[in-house]
């Protein structure tokens, strides 16, 4: 029997189950994606129908204008596929730093999307890009045939525009199955060596992110008969040193309709930040949701953020 995650967290420090200070506003532009990855916690695909519109984007911009100094973290699905992606970027110019776009890289090689690398560089966007391995076979197995070649071509173009040098380019590793990432420091060293020696590619940081047992990845685990085993692994590898750095203490997640959550994983399962009466909060309630001391909504999938070296959108928590 796996102990309740909230109780484990409270045992380490009672303050860890409460919101601290808002540092990052993460917005999910929807579940449209040109890929169909097995580990995707939002089950994104080309058939996605959840698409954030300009009304929600405008409210995000107004919130940022009132709260200077926040990080804007833009994710999906594939955020660049949102038809109003350019509206969001241009409306938030000067309102947040950094502004992070979480890209799958391959989208920038799709017909009609070739404008993306130069556009991102012109607006000074940080690119945090998924590349689950530096070997072609492993990437194509997880993300689809030909994705590795597209990703490498895009990385070379990004380097030519200054990414990895004067503009920030980060890569993301996630496991290809039901196991934890290895050492982030060691993986970063291997990625830098292999990508430079094979392709001349440079980047700033590698982030390791543990697969969350929700969405399509949970479906995969259950189909393999591995869900309970994976949950036990996450709980057994609970690391108290990672507990204080969990991202839900400093991040609020916004969905395509303006609903708000303590993280993107909670968003994937519909676990809203709620008012005292249980009704879901929206972007209009962001100031209240980000109050210091508000209790965080936690569940068993949260063990993925404290297992091993820990995991967050900025990588390991306990190096």
């Amino acid at each position: 029997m796996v102990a309740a995650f909230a109780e484990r967290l409270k045992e380490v420090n009672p303050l860890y189950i409460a919101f601290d200070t808002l540092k990052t506003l993460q917005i999910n532009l929807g579940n449209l994606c040109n890929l169909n990855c097995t580990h995707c916690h939002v089950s994104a695909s080309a058939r996605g129908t959840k698409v954030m519109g300009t009304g929600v984007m405008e409210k995000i911009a107004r919130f940022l204008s009132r709260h200077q100094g926040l990080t804007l973290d833009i994710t999906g699905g594939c955020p660049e596929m949102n038809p109003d992606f350019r509206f969001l970027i241009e409306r938030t110019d000067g309102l947040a730093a950094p502004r992070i776009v979480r890209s799958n890289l391959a989208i920038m090689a799709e017909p009609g999307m070739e404008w993306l690398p130069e556009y991102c560089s012109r607006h000074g966007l940080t690119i945090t890009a998924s590349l689950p391995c530096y070997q072609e076979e492993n990437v194509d197995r997880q993300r689809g045939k030909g994705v590795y070649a597209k990703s490498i071509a895009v990385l070379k173009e990004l380097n030519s525009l200054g990414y990895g040098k004067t503009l920030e380019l980060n890569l993301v590793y996630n496991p290809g199955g039901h196991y934890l990432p290895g050492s982030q420091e060691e993986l970063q060293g291997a990625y830098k060596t292999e990508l430079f020696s094979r392709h001349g590619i440079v980047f700033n940081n590698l982030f390791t992110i543990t697969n969350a047992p929700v969405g399509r990845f949970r479906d995969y685990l259950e189909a393999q008969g591995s869900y309970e085993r994976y949950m036990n692994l996450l709980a057994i590898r609970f690391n108290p040193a990672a507990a204080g750095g969990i991202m839900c203490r400093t991040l609020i997640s916004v969905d395509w309709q303006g609903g708000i959550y303590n993280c993107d994983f909670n968003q994937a399962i519909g676990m809203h930040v709620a008012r005292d009466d249980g009704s879901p909060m929206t972007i209009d309630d962001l100031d209240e949701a980000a109050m210091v001391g508000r209790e965080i909504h936690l569940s068993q999938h949260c063990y993925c953020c404290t297992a091993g070296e820990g995991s967050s959108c900025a990588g390991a928590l306990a190096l």
Side-chain angles (χ1 to χ4, degrees):
M1 181 73 176
V2 175
F5 178 79
E7 294 305 314
R8 292 289 297 276
L9 205 59
K10 193 184 296 186
E11 288 172 4
V12 178
N13 189 326
L15 294 177
Y16 291 171
I17 66 168
F19 194 78
D20 187 5
T21 304
L22 182 62
K23 296 180 181 178
T24 300
L25 187 66
Q26 185 174 76
I27 60 174
N28 190 308
L29 299 193
N31 64 350
L32 268 175
C33 191
N34 58 315
L35 302 181
N36 196 28
C37 302
T38 56
H39 68 279
C40 183
H41 65 276
V42 298
S43 302
S45 74
R47 297 183 301 277
T49 58
K50 300 175 181 179
V51 180
M52 183 182 289
T54 57
V56 176
M57 293 177 182
E58 179 63 31
K59 290 184 177 183
I60 288 165
R62 290 177 186 173
F63 180 82
L64 292 172
S65 70
R66 301 193 307 270
H67 298 81
Q68 299 293 312
L70 296 181
T71 293
L72 179 63
D73 191 333
I74 305 166
T75 187
C78 175
E80 302 99 318
M81 286 183 70
N82 183 297
D84 295 310
F85 176 76
R86 280 179 277 202
F87 172 88
L88 173 70
I89 298 305
E90 290 159 28
R91 183 64 182 83
T92 58
D93 273 337
L95 298 183
R99 290 181 297 167
I100 301 166
V101 174
R102 294 190 178 270
S103 180
N104 65 30
L105 292 176
I107 186 61
M108 300 189 187
E110 296 289 348
M113 305 298 282
E114 300 90 344
W115 53 271
L116 274 166
E118 191 278 331
Y119 182 85
C120 290
S121 68
R122 178 157 37 93
H123 287 272
L125 305 177
T126 293
I127 294 179
T128 296
S130 298
L131 190 69
C133 190
Y134 48 76
Q135 294 178 326
E136 182 172 11
E137 180 182 355
N138 291 340
V139 172
D140 285 2
R141 182 186 306 116
Q142 186 180 116
R143 318 206 79 175
K145 187 173 177 59
V147 171
Y148 180 83
K150 289 180 180 179
S151 299
I152 293 301
V154 169
L155 285 171
K156 288 180 177 180
E157 183 175 2
L158 290 172
N159 277 178
S160 74
L161 292 167
Y163 276 99
K165 302 163 190 174
T166 57
L167 292 166
E168 189 167 349
L169 172 63
N170 303 310
L171 299 182
V172 173
Y173 165 87
N174 64 278
H178 39 84
Y179 49 90
L180 299 184
S183 160
Q184 179 170 287
E185 184 177 359
E186 292 179 8
L187 279 167
Q188 177 173 284
Y191 265 69
K192 289 199 169 192
T193 298
E194 294 293 334
L195 288 176
F196 186 77
S197 63
R198 296 179 188 208
H199 307 289
I201 289 169
V202 297
F203 64 94
N204 296 98
N205 305 291
L206 177 78
F207 300 144
T208 56
I209 298 182
T210 301
N211 292 327
V214 298
R216 190 179 292 140
F217 187 63
R218 175 168 181 159
D219 294 341
Y220 162 80
L221 290 171
E222 290 179 340
Q224 298 287 318
S226 303
Y227 176 74
E228 293 298 332
R229 185 162 67 248
Y230 186 68
M231 292 302 299
N232 286 331
L233 170 66
L234 297 179
I236 290 168
R237 295 291 305 279
F238 177 83
N239 184 353
I246 52 176
M247 58 189 174
C248 53
R249 300 191 67 223
T250 57
L251 176 149
I252 294 288
S253 171
V254 182
D255 74 6
W256 67 287
Q257 294 178 301
I260 56 178
Y261 308 80
N262 289 124
C263 73
D264 202 52
F265 301 143
N266 282 10
Q267 183 182 143
I269 62 172
M271 188 185 290
H272 291 81
V273 175
R275 301 183 182 89
D276 292 340
D277 64 3
S279 61
M281 288 188 176
T282 72
I283 192 168
D284 297 318
D285 307 304
L286 263 174
D287 287 297
E288 182 181 353
M291 287 177 57
V292 175
R294 173 175 284 279
E295 188 169 331
I296 299 166
H297 294 267
L298 300 166
S299 189
Q300 297 303 78
H301 67 270
C302 302
Y303 271 112
C304 71
C305 295
T306 55
E309 290 188 350
S311 177
S312 75
C313 288
L317 300 173
L319 298 177

